[in-house]
Amino acid sequence: MSTPAPPADVLATERPPAVRRLLGRPEIGALIAAVAVFLVFSAVADSFLRTSSFGTVLYAASTIGIMAVPVSLLMIGGEFDLSAGVLVTTAALTSSMVSYQLTAVTWVGVLVSLLVVLAVSAFNGWMLSRTRLPSFIVTLGTFLMLTGANLGVTKLVTGTVTTKPISDMEGFASCRWLFASEITVGGLTVKATVWWWLGLLLVGSWVLLRTAFGNWIFAVGGDAAAARAVGVPVARTRTVLYLGVGFCAWVLGQHLLFSFDTVQSGEGVGNELIYIVAAVIGGCLITGGYGSVAGSALGALIFGMTSKGIVYAEWNPDWFKFFLGAMLLLAALLNAWVRRRVERGTSR
Amino acid sequence: MTRFPLRPFCAALVLTVALTGCSSTGGRRAEQARERARTAGGAVDTPRWRVAMVTHAGAGDAFWDIVRKGAEQAAAKDNITLLYSNDAQTQNQVQLVQAAIDQRVDGLLVTLAKGDALGPVLAKAKAAGIPVISINSGQEFSARFGALTHIGQDETVAGQAAGATLDARGRKDVLCVIHEQGNVGQEQRCDGARSKFGGQFQTLYVDGVNMPDARAAMSAKLQADPALDTVLTLSAPVAATGLQAIQDARRPVELDTFDLGTQVVAGLQAGTVGFAVDQQPYLQGYEGVDLLWLYRYNLDVLGGGKPVLTGPQVLTKDDAAALAQYVARGTR
């Protein structure tokens, strides 16, 4: 890209004042927005501040946040994945149908599903580096094929659009414990997805900020040609990022399956944009090379608070998408403004 | 010389124009007045209860707008605050039901199109002491999930009514158009019609969210199969598209449909639509709220544990004129 943002380590070595360092974080705009959204709904909705409501909001945020982690990494690496939404459904469908049709322990379906989803992601990455087509096009193709395959294969195998219930099969209980259990502490019900989300956030952040691979992601997203020139394995980096998307889609897909028992084959369409929105609200630059994983969590949290807050506030849900769009624009503007101020500050 | 009283004259003129300029009947002001009269407190003096209604409707769906209107008008009458929310995706609908439970609503209306997925969260509603009524779809899950009753249409029964009517109208070769491949309710409608119909019966899958494509698919089928004399559609928007496809095919083909809409009623009046099988969506929302009120007020449960059917009502040209005004205001 023509004007890459200053990488985090440059800011760190110059040791600017603490406030400026804080403002230099990509997720600062999202943090301000999240606090604002929280305050608004706390003020207008009595039931929003209840502990049980907090559990519901956290669950809604986690189902987006799990996918926003790899999607934000991929965006920092300069690519999109439009197939991320239906890939989740593919993961759930594969797992369910393999287990049921083979009358296997559900763990078999879970593992086969992981392989299938990783294969789709590897295909995305391979296709991208082989053809040099924009990832928008490549994953749009995958998105359409998966949407059709989800419906077609399910109809072919089960004769209907939904999978058969598998809750009476062996292994279901342990799978459910891993992917869809919940614990209640003092009225706050925390679902398994929240733990998965936190774990993936920590791993994603650590990889991005503390490993050589993290530097590669920034380099590839900032300027792929320059990165290649200094010896960064560009194609491999991108493929690994796609595999990350696949892995997280698998996690979320298993959650859907073991929490709802049956899966509808037409689901998941449109969610890929929600993951991208969460990443953008969280400070990821749509052109790549800049962003953070923690920001994606704030983006998901804003999403969860808004979508459920509108319900708690008893507002007309017809306007939900409007609020969401306004939020997205505001967050993006805030991010751009903060970044410009920081850049001006460091160049002085 | 007396000066002409210019200022008072102008003021009087402006006032006169302003007064005569406004219509004393109709218009937005009359609509607002009606609205105020309608919502000015409930007709009952029970406490202000809150009922949540969570459906699997997609955004901006005409059918669901009618269901919601029914629910809103019953809520206004029953002194109930109606909290409406909807999401076509299973996990989001479950989250919305959970949100309603968190809000400790006094009653819950829910559609069970996603079947099994809503079982666990409805168990939580039961544990929280929230009475639940299921509406529209999911009759087979309703009692199992602890709902008081189910209000809707049995799709197989509705299909059978359509099949019998097709037979009575002397149709010979029918094309049943499914616009959501794999939608269980739609399959039941076609299968029900097939079971009560004596002539030739085929099904065609079209893409219900891509109307130009659906139109092309239907007209192609009509051109390819000259024996077809009837098209049976399963929703009002597809019925309108089906009429266009019949025009494209330039053949005297009868269109019959499930569900009502402005174009369907106009077609009934004009004779291009033979009959419409209505499930009365307004009733589903209205009765849902009203029955929850009756339960809270008087522990009444309608239906004796059996589903309360809102359809099928077979409507023909004879009904069209009377129906038109209700369709136009969006409650039929």
Side-chain angles (χ1 to χ4, degrees):
Chain A
M1 298 305 112
S2 53
T3 51
D9 52 346
V10 171
L11 289 178
T13 48
E14 285 183 8
R15 294 263 166 232
V19 177
R20 174 148 289 138
R21 274 214 327 267
L22 183 69
L23 284 176
R25 304 287 314 147
E27 59 272 7
I28 190 67
L31 185 64
I32 295 169
V35 170
V37 170
F38 179 79
L39 290 178
V40 165
F41 284 116
S42 302
V44 298
D46 300 333
S47 42
F48 186 73
L49 285 176
R50 289 203 191 117
T51 44
S52 61
S53 311
F54 191 61
T56 308
V57 167
L58 216 51
Y59 175 52
S62 68
T63 54
I64 296 160
I66 285 177
M67 287 306 290
V69 169
V71 166
S72 60
L73 285 173
L74 189 63
M75 278 184 74
I76 297 168
E79 305 296 340
F80 289 101
D81 190 348
L82 296 180
S83 66
V86 286
L87 196 58
V88 172
T89 312
T90 306
L93 289 169
T94 312
S95 179
S96 170
M97 284 192 288
V98 166
S99 299
Y100 188 88
Q101 300 299 330
L102 302 181
T103 327
V105 179
T106 52
W107 285 101
V108 175
V110 169
L111 291 178
V112 173
S113 157
L114 177 61
L115 294 179
V116 168
V117 172
L118 288 181
V120 173
S121 299
F123 172 80
N124 275 336
W126 175 79
M127 199 66 176
L128 190 70
S129 30
R130 254 315 164 81
T131 60
R132 309 242 170 134
L133 284 171
S135 61
F136 189 91
I137 299 297
V138 171
T139 58
L140 189 61
T142 327
F143 159 77
L144 291 171
M145 288 194 291
L146 283 180
T147 311
N150 282 353
L151 193 63
V153 173
T154 311
K155 193 93 201 275
L156 207 65
V157 172
T158 68
T160 63
V161 281
T162 55
T163 61
K164 303 267 195 330
I166 57 163
S167 53
D168 54 352
M169 296 186 69
E170 235 175 287
F172 188 87
S174 52
C175 288
R176 170 167 249 172
W177 175 83
L178 182 60
F179 292 110
S181 58
E182 54 184 49
I183 53 167
T184 305
V185 187
L188 176 68
T189 303
V190 182
K191 304 242 186 198
T193 47
V194 177
W195 304 120
W196 277 102
W197 182 31
L198 287 178
L200 289 166
L201 267 177
L202 290 176
V203 173
S205 264
W206 177 77
V207 166
L208 188 66
L209 299 175
R210 292 274 177 275
T211 65
F213 186 74
N215 288 336
W216 291 357
I217 300 175
F218 278 116
V220 168
D223 188 339
R228 194 175 287 113
V230 296
V232 174
V234 174
R236 182 144 54 98
T237 304
R238 283 177 179 155
T239 305
V240 170
L241 288 175
Y242 274 106
L243 289 176
V245 176
F247 177 79
C248 294
W250 172 75
V251 171
L252 186 56
Q254 303 315 301
H255 167 73
L256 295 185
L257 172 61
F258 291 106
S259 136
F260 300 133
D261 192 7
T262 59
V263 190
Q264 312 256 335
S265 54
E267 303 239 328
V269 177
N271 285 355
E272 63 282 345
L273 294 179
I274 290 173
Y275 307 144
I276 292 173
V277 166
V280 171
I281 290 181
C284 287
L285 213 53
I286 210 147
T287 45
Y290 186 81
S292 82
V293 176
S296 80
L298 290 165
L301 203 57
I302 289 174
F303 221 105
M305 285 195 290
T306 312
S307 66
K308 299 304 168 282
I310 286 173
V311 177
Y312 292 124
E314 303 178 8
W315 289 348
N316 191 339
D318 293 350
W319 290 88
F320 169 62
K321 289 270 164 69
F322 180 87
F323 287 120
L324 209 59
M327 202 90 71
L328 172 67
L329 276 181
L330 280 176
L333 284 174
L334 195 62
N335 283 338
W337 179 75
V338 168
R339 213 174 46 246
R340 258 203 310 279
R341 292 203 44 126
V342 171
E343 277 167 24
R344 207 178 300 147
T346 48
S347 64
R348 196 170 48 196
Chain B
M1 186 178 98
T2 53
R3 215 165 69 92
F4 183 73
L6 190 65
R7 211 172 287 173
F9 176 80
C10 284
L13 187 73
V14 168
L15 197 65
T16 317
V17 168
L19 283 177
T20 53
C22 285
S23 165
S24 58
T25 56
R28 181 159 169 74
R29 204 186 293 170
E31 187 190 321
Q32 284 167 337
R34 274 200 304 276
E35 187 72 11
R36 269 197 304 278
R38 193 170 65 71
T39 54
V44 293
D45 59 358
T46 43
R48 187 110 183 124
W49 286 320
R50 295 187 309 156
V51 165
M53 176 174 179
V54 185
T55 73
H56 69 277
D61 187 297
F63 177 91
W64 286 102
D65 198 43
I66 301 175
V67 179
R68 186 176 172 182
K69 267 194 188 126
E72 275 168 354
Q73 291 183 8
K77 187 203 67 176
D78 289 340
N79 198 22
I80 279 175
T81 307
L82 184 76
L83 313 173
Y84 180 85
S85 56
N86 61 298
D87 203 301
Q89 296 212 29
T90 307
Q91 59 156 326
N92 295 343
Q93 199 197 354
V94 170
Q95 287 176 5
L96 288 170
V97 173
Q98 181 62 51
I101 297 170
D102 297 338
Q103 284 172 286
R104 297 176 195 158
V105 293
D106 299 295
L108 184 60
L109 281 184
V110 63
T111 62
L112 301 179
K114 313 290 178 167
D116 289 315
L118 276 96
V121 78
L122 288 188
K124 284 187 188 165
K126 200 181 167 87
I130 299 172
V132 178
I133 286 181
S134 61
I135 59 169
N136 182 257
S137 40
Q139 185 178 314
E140 63 275 31
F141 301 104
S142 182
R144 186 143 54 87
F145 292 168
L148 297 175
T149 188
H150 178 84
I151 303 160
Q153 170 176 260
D154 184 318
E155 300 298 0
T156 307
V157 173
Q160 288 166 348
T165 313
L166 286 167
D167 241 5
R169 295 177 69 85
R171 310 318 298 177
K172 296 277 178 284
D173 201 330
V174 173
L175 181 71
C176 193
V177 183
I178 290 180
H179 57 271
E180 275 174 44
Q181 188 163 13
N183 178 319
V184 180
Q186 294 186 10
E187 304 272 359
Q188 286 170 341
R189 283 180 177 183
C190 281
D191 290 345
R194 188 199 307 270
S195 71
K196 293 286 172 193
F197 179 64
Q200 287 289 314
F201 196 93
Q202 314 173 45
T203 47
L204 175 74
Y205 291 100
V206 302
D207 186 1
V209 292
N210 186 350
M211 282 306 176
D213 188 60
R215 175 178 177 172
M218 281 187 273
S219 49
K221 177 72 185 167
L222 285 173
Q223 282 153 354
D225 192 344
L228 283 170
D229 63 0
T230 309
V231 173
L232 179 64
T233 57
L234 306 180
S235 82
V238 182
T241 312
L243 285 174
Q244 293 171 336
I246 289 171
Q247 271 180 1
D248 296 342
R250 297 175 201 287
R251 277 206 291 127
V253 175
E254 175 174 300
L255 184 112
D256 301 311
T257 188
F258 288 80
D259 296 353
L260 284 183
T262 327
Q263 283 146 309
V264 172
V265 172
L268 282 172
Q269 269 175 311
T272 51
V273 176
F275 66 89
V277 182
D278 189 20
Q279 62 171 311
Q280 308 194 85
Y282 184 86
L283 267 186
Q284 295 175 357
Y286 188 93
E287 288 300 319
V289 170
D290 217 23
L291 292 186
L292 280 172
W293 181 83
L294 280 169
Y295 180 78
R296 283 221 87 98
Y297 178 68
N298 210 26
L299 272 188
D300 282 327
V301 178
L302 200 64
K306 293 250 166 36
V308 179
L309 297 185
T310 60
Q313 191 190 25
V314 178
L315 300 164
T316 61
K317 187 170 187 155
D318 302 336
D319 312 294
L323 277 174
Q325 56 168 317
Y326 305 118
V327 172
R329 76 175 185 194
T331 55
R332 275 307 293 261

